[in-house]
Amino acid sequence: MRLIKSLLCFFMVLLMGCDKRSETSFSKEDLVLIPLPQSLELNKGSFRINKDTRLVIPGDSLQPLAGILNDLLERSAGFKMALAREASGDNFIQLKKKTALTEEAYKLSVTTNRVVLEANSRLGYVYGLETIRQLLPKEIEDTSKISNINWLIPNVEISDAPQYPYRGNMLDVARHFFDKAYIKKHIDRMAFLKLNTLHLHLVDDQGWRIEIKDYPKLTQVGGFRVNQEDKHWNARGENSPEEEGTYGGFYSQEDIKEIVAYAREKGIRIIPEIEMPAHVMSAIAAYPWLSCTGEPIAVPSGGVWPITSIYCAGKESTFTFLKAVLTQVMELFPGKYIHIGGDEATKTNWKTCPDCQARIREQGLANEEELQSYFIKRIEKFLDQNGRVLIGWDEIMEGGLAEEATVMSWRGFQGGWEATQQGHDVIMTPTSHMYFDYYQGSPDYEPVAFNAFVPLHRVYEFSPVLDSMSLSQRKHVLGGQANLWSEYVSTPEHSEYMLFPRLAALSEVLWTPEAKLGWEDFSVRIQKMMERFDLMGINYAKSAYAVVPEADINLDTKEISLRLKAEFPGVEIRYAQDGAELSPESRIYESPIQIDSSLNLKAAVYKNQQRMGPVMDKDFQFHKAVAKPVTYKNSYHNNYKGGGETGLVDVLRGSKYFKDGRWQGWINQPAILTINLEQPTRVSQVIVGSLEEQGTGIYFPQEIKVEVSKDGKTFEKVGELKREFKNNPVAKIKNFKIGFESKDNIEFVRLSVEPLENNPKGGGSWLFLDEILVK
């Protein structure tokens, strides 16, 4: 009998295809939906899409929505569903109007014979169709035809709507230009995740990216810069206004119209950002009279700080220009919002500009901060007269907030809190959770990024509302937005890497009810969703699979206990020691690894015999000071404790990310410390591990002095190192070695590590150390 059943199953598979899932075998674990719906009920059975399935869409205006499923089916299954206006019989997917639903809500009912998607707007239909797409086998994303798949949708009842009306992503196309094809591809992926707002940062110092017919030099001159792409962003030299720019690009007005229309079909609005009064050197390079000085400048090729070349707020011609620009922008972007930036304006030139000072006196303003408020309020009034709402970064609050403005709070949550208290709408986009140009894993394994850290789980912890907000304040929180600034992001592949999978985490925390959110459940679903990302051709980051070591020191036995973990919980970690090759057959990590001598350790996450993330390859160097007592004359900074009193002798090294918890920091004072070796020891070398990140004020030591003692009272200087300051635009770790003639019976080693005396950028000088090795 068992043989007969097996043969029957074999022949059924031949007839229906080799899909392992039967029509009644779905479990909740099979439903890989991101964002998680508001309400979901799984029933027995499934609906099967085949060549005879009809797609019932009422009205001509909704016909383009057929492509959300049909374009994928045609490519992967080799057929499209026939379109119909009315439902009859069975075997159809029907879009049905339900006026009781809110604009972005939808209801989805899947039974064995039919699928009914109810909504009250195009947005609701888009989201429901994207849910159907995610319920179908992941192979629907394949770019080639597949003949052995049953296109099954599990029988479900879904009632869904978003928590927040604003679910956004900002792409900076000014620092590096991304062409129209990539923007449209990204719009597709945003729709897949039910995000509804694409914020395009079209203007910055390094590029003007939108054609303005009244001012053609904005793109002819401002759209291109001298090519210094072979250098780090912060190491690029100043350009001459006489040198022609060749690196860049811009969107024609026809490009913009095409992008806006494409986004509308996908349920996504586009918000243009036209920066002012700062971040506009590209405009001033085209038309120098826009600045206070009128002097010619070049479009910069890299970082600029402080930003002093800004629009003149005193000249009336500045506002004539901006109104003309914004008039054309509003014609191209029909949506409600226009973003005007408003951030990081250094007002040095305003303080000495006769026109700006005359404007201050004329308007009875107190200072340059109020002059910026005047500037923003004047632009806000112009936009309001044209039926638009101004959005600006939270600096627009300085000097007084424009009456109808919406605030995008990026310098933390406080600006958003204050704006909601004043009755203004707010979009939360704090650097702590929403800056996707930050590293998402250890810089040891990641492509270059801004030297800060926003891992996947931190994005998932984001909430745009604060517990301290009143009910009325919360009503003004529209939602949140992830920002991908592109100083370090020059290719579509790198852009995708920084966006995914973090964008999926954002989509869920802004869509799904807070009570249904859970990191462990999301971790399981996002790992399965990554399989779909593979078929979608998304170059997503696998940083959450990276193995990170943590250590405890046993001060009695001098043993180090190494713990291995990854950001994803419950994954399988395998490791190999001392030169052994890491493979799917390597030892599984189950408990802390005890080490009492130098060790090379390799580790990685494996799943189904495949390595999922980068290999951790670290040397843990034992030396004569490991786990020995350390006393400090000048204690390390409270914010940078780096493992505490044994942090410099625990064999764990820091990464290029200065906030990784491994670095001890001092500001404007030397690190003076003494290591008690606890027994007579022969020493001949001391190695000091240090970090430099000049952009954040961290510098290599200027001087290191080593002294030794047999009794802890009388010290002898045995080695010294001095170095000259060198410009360094990147984060760098270096071991400074101080060798000397061997000394016997030494019990104490004292180090004096001097910070850089004169910070060339002004401000304090940080000194960061992660390990002192005594040999």
Side-chain angles (χ1 to χ4, degrees):
M1 182 64 70
R2 183 175 300 170
L3 177 61
I4 293 173
K5 286 184 176 179
S6 297
L7 288 171
L8 286 172
C9 287
F10 173 75
F11 286 117
M12 287 296 292
V13 167
L14 288 179
L15 289 170
M16 299 185 63
C18 299
D19 190 356
K20 293 181 180 179
R21 299 182 302 177
S22 74
E23 295 193 7
T24 58
S25 64
F26 288 100
S27 66
K28 285 194 174 182
E29 287 70 30
D30 295 317
L31 308 185
V32 184
L33 296 176
I34 295 177
L36 200 62
Q38 191 178 77
S39 169
L40 184 152
E41 179 183 344
L42 175 62
N43 299 315
K44 185 177 180 180
S46 59
F47 176 85
R48 182 171 179 240
I49 298 178
N50 56 34
K51 294 179 181 179
D52 298 323
T53 304
R54 289 159 294 137
L55 183 55
V56 181
I57 300 181
D60 293 336
S61 65
L62 298 177
Q63 295 296 306
L65 298 181
I68 293 175
L69 296 179
N70 266 347
D71 290 351
L72 297 172
L73 284 169
E74 185 175 26
R75 189 177 63 185
S76 58
F79 65 85
K80 296 197 300 185
M81 294 179 286
L83 299 185
R85 290 296 181 93
E86 296 181 0
S88 62
D90 291 322
N91 194 15
F92 59 78
I93 298 176
Q94 180 186 14
L95 275 59
K96 188 176 180 181
K97 181 80 169 179
K98 186 165 185 176
T99 56
L101 293 175
T102 57
E103 185 183 29
E104 292 192 291
Y106 70 92
K107 288 183 180 291
L108 179 63
S109 176
V110 182
T111 62
T112 304
N113 297 321
R114 64 188 64 181
V115 177
V116 178
L117 170 59
E118 296 179 304
N120 190 27
S121 73
R122 172 183 293 272
L123 293 175
Y125 290 128
V126 168
Y127 302 145
L129 288 167
E130 293 291 355
T131 295
I132 293 172
R133 174 183 176 180
Q134 291 191 17
L135 287 169
L136 281 162
K138 64 180 183 292
E139 288 80 8
I140 196 173
E141 312 293 344
D142 208 309
T143 56
S144 57
K145 184 178 176 181
I146 302 172
S147 58
N148 60 349
I149 292 289
N150 281 324
W151 303 105
L152 302 177
I153 306 172
N155 287 352
V156 293
E157 297 288 334
I158 291 177
S159 179
D160 205 5
Q163 286 292 98
Y164 295 98
Y166 189 107
R167 305 177 304 282
N169 176 213
M170 185 279 288
L171 290 185
D172 172 8
V173 296
R175 271 58 174 268
H176 284 97
F177 178 69
F178 294 91
D179 65 19
K180 177 176 61 178
Y182 177 67
I183 299 299
K184 291 168 76 172
K185 183 185 293 186
H186 184 62
I187 287 169
D188 289 339
R189 293 163 178 175
M190 289 180 65
F192 177 80
L193 294 170
K194 300 182 177 65
L195 298 170
N196 68 355
T197 306
L198 175 59
H199 167 185
L200 288 179
H201 185 75
L202 293 165
V203 173
D204 215 297
D205 293 311
Q206 297 80 12
W208 183 288
R209 304 300 180 205
I210 179 172
E211 179 189 20
I212 303 297
K213 294 188 182 295
D214 292 347
Y215 297 94
K217 288 185 179 181
L218 288 173
T219 48
Q220 293 170 0
V221 176
F224 297 88
R225 62 180 184 247
V226 175
N227 191 337
Q228 297 190 46
E229 293 301 301
D230 59 331
K231 301 175 184 176
H232 187 277
W233 182 259
N234 292 322
R236 299 176 185 180
E238 186 175 346
N239 300 325
S240 166
E242 304 301 319
E243 190 172 359
E244 183 181 2
T246 59
Y247 184 89
F250 64 92
Y251 306 108
S252 69
Q253 293 203 359
E254 291 305 310
D255 289 334
I256 294 293
K257 291 175 184 176
E258 184 179 338
I259 290 170
V260 170
Y262 188 85
R264 180 183 177 277
E265 294 300 329
K266 302 292 182 176
I268 291 173
R269 61 187 168 191
I270 298 184
I271 295 177
E273 181 179 358
I274 309 298
E275 277 272 12
M276 61 186 78
H279 288 284
V280 293
M281 292 177 69
S282 56
I284 294 172
Y287 298 102
W289 50 264
L290 290 168
S291 71
C292 290
T293 66
E295 296 175 358
I297 65 169
V299 178
S301 295
V304 177
W305 192 260
I307 302 169
T308 57
S309 292
I310 66 178
Y311 288 143
C312 179
K315 296 175 184 175
E316 197 61 27
S317 56
T318 301
F319 295 95
T320 301
F321 165 81
L322 288 172
K323 288 178 180 180
V325 167
L326 290 172
T327 296
Q328 290 194 33
V329 169
M330 287 186 287
E331 290 171 356
L332 294 168
F333 295 92
K336 175 181 178 181
Y337 294 108
I338 302 291
H339 201 303
I340 55 83
D343 61 314
E344 298 180 332
T346 301
K347 305 169 183 67
T348 305
N349 290 343
W350 285 5
K351 293 180 180 179
T352 59
C353 172
D355 294 308
C356 290
Q357 292 304 308
R359 179 82 73 182
I360 288 174
R361 291 191 299 271
E362 169 193 308
Q363 296 295 322
L365 306 175
N367 49 37
E368 287 71 29
E369 282 67 37
E370 288 195 8
L371 180 59
Q372 172 158 333
S373 178
Y374 163 84
F375 190 115
I376 301 301
K377 287 178 179 178
R378 187 165 172 179
I379 296 298
E380 189 270 336
K381 183 177 180 181
F382 173 73
L383 293 175
D384 182 62
Q385 289 169 348
N386 285 273
R388 304 303 177 89
V389 174
L390 178 148
I391 298 181
W393 304 108
D394 53 51
E395 284 96 330
I396 67 171
M397 299 175 65
E398 296 170 3
L401 186 55
E403 187 174 348
E404 300 297 330
T406 294
V407 173
M408 198 167 268
S409 185
W410 72 278
R411 295 178 299 179
F413 292 89
Q414 184 61 29
W417 193 96
E418 293 174 3
T420 59
Q421 191 181 43
Q422 296 175 32
H424 288 265
D425 287 344
V426 164
I427 299 151
M428 289 293 194
T429 177
T431 57
S432 56
H433 296 77
M434 292 290 103
Y435 267 45
F436 285 11
D437 55 320
Y438 290 7
Y439 284 107
Q440 52 198 313
S442 169
D444 295 343
Y445 314 114
E446 295 288 300
V448 64
F450 187 87
N451 200 21
F453 194 46
V454 176
L456 183 63
H457 76 270
R458 187 172 299 166
V459 178
Y460 200 78
E461 292 167 356
F462 172 68
S463 173
V465 299
L466 302 174
D467 291 340
S468 59
M469 285 180 171
S470 66
L471 185 59
S472 62
Q473 283 180 284
R474 291 174 183 234
K475 290 178 180 178
H476 284 289
V477 178
L478 302 181
Q481 175 175 289
N483 298 324
L484 181 57
W485 301 102
S486 68
E487 288 96 330
Y488 307 112
V489 180
S490 60
T491 66
E493 293 77 19
H494 193 178
S495 176
E496 291 173 358
Y497 187 93
M498 304 305 286
L499 290 166
F500 294 92
R502 290 189 286 192
L503 208 57
L506 172 69
S507 76
E508 182 149 301
V509 297
L510 293 178
W511 180 280
T512 304
E514 187 174 352
K516 295 179 70 70
L517 297 176
W519 166 245
E520 290 195 9
D521 177 61
F522 176 79
S523 296
V524 173
R525 283 182 287 116
I526 192 61
Q527 290 180 67
K528 293 179 180 178
M529 183 62 77
M530 287 175 175
E531 299 173 11
R532 191 177 288 256
F533 289 166
D534 286 327
L535 295 172
M536 295 170 72
I538 298 175
N539 182 41
Y540 62 90
K542 298 183 178 180
S543 314
Y545 284 116
V547 176
V548 179
E550 294 181 344
D552 293 318
I553 300 178
N554 187 318
L555 296 176
D556 296 324
T557 65
K558 309 306 180 188
E559 281 189 331
I560 304 293
S561 179
L562 282 177
R563 302 186 307 278
L564 304 180
K565 67 174 187 176
E567 190 177 357
F568 284 141
V571 293
E572 177 186 286
I573 298 175
R574 292 183 178 268
Y575 68 97
Q577 299 176 220
D578 292 330
E581 289 297 319
L582 184 65
S583 74
E585 284 70 45
S586 295
R587 187 181 305 178
I588 295 178
Y589 173 78
E590 295 177 322
S591 59
I593 303 166
Q594 307 298 323
I595 60 174
D596 57 7
S597 60
S598 294
L599 171 74
N600 173 262
L601 186 68
K602 299 183 181 71
V605 171
Y606 281 83
K607 185 178 181 181
N608 299 327
Q609 298 290 295
Q610 288 189 328
R611 181 167 60 83
M612 302 305 294
V615 174
M616 183 201 79
D617 187 348
K618 285 190 175 291
D619 291 315
F620 299 92
Q621 294 188 43
F622 263 68
H623 50 91
K624 295 177 180 180
V626 170
K628 302 298 185 180
V630 181
T631 57
Y632 296 82
K633 182 176 181 180
N634 299 324
S635 182
Y636 39 79
H637 196 278
N638 193 49
N639 291 340
Y640 303 104
K641 300 179 180 180
E645 292 185 358
T646 56
L648 295 181
V649 289
D650 65 357
V651 310
L652 273 189
R653 305 303 302 271
S655 72
K656 293 178 183 177
Y657 175 52
F658 69 94
K659 292 183 180 180
D660 68 3
R662 300 311 316 164
W663 294 100
Q664 291 187 356
W666 291 260
I667 184 167
N668 295 334
Q669 63 176 347
I672 302 175
L673 54 96
T674 303
I675 303 171
N676 183 353
L677 300 177
E678 296 186 317
Q679 60 185 13
T681 306
R682 187 178 190 183
V683 298
S684 61
Q685 187 185 54
V686 172
I687 300 173
V688 178
S690 183
L691 171 71
E692 185 163 75
E693 171 55 76
Q694 293 184 5
T696 51
I698 303 169
Y699 297 89
F700 282 144
Q702 183 170 289
E703 182 179 349
I704 301 174
K705 182 173 67 175
V706 178
E707 300 171 288
V708 297
S709 173
K710 296 179 180 180
D711 58 7
K713 298 177 181 177
T714 302
F715 283 83
E716 173 190 2
K717 186 172 81 170
V718 292
E720 190 173 30
L721 181 152
K722 295 183 179 181
R723 62 179 299 275
E724 296 295 325
F725 168 79
K726 295 180 180 179
N727 281 314
N728 173 26
V730 299
K732 187 175 181 180
I733 297 172
K734 187 171 182 178
N735 290 328
F736 294 96
K737 299 179 180 180
I738 301 96
F740 46 88
E741 184 180 342
S742 295
K743 298 290 183 179
D744 293 321
N745 300 317
I746 299 302
E747 293 196 38
F748 298 90
V749 177
R750 184 164 69 193
L751 282 92
S752 299
V753 187
E754 297 286 341
L756 183 68
E757 185 174 356
N758 295 310
N759 184 338
K761 295 185 178 181
S765 294
W766 282 95
L767 175 69
F768 270 58
L769 308 178
D770 69 338
E771 187 79 2
I772 308 295
L773 296 86
V774 178
K775 297 188 174 183

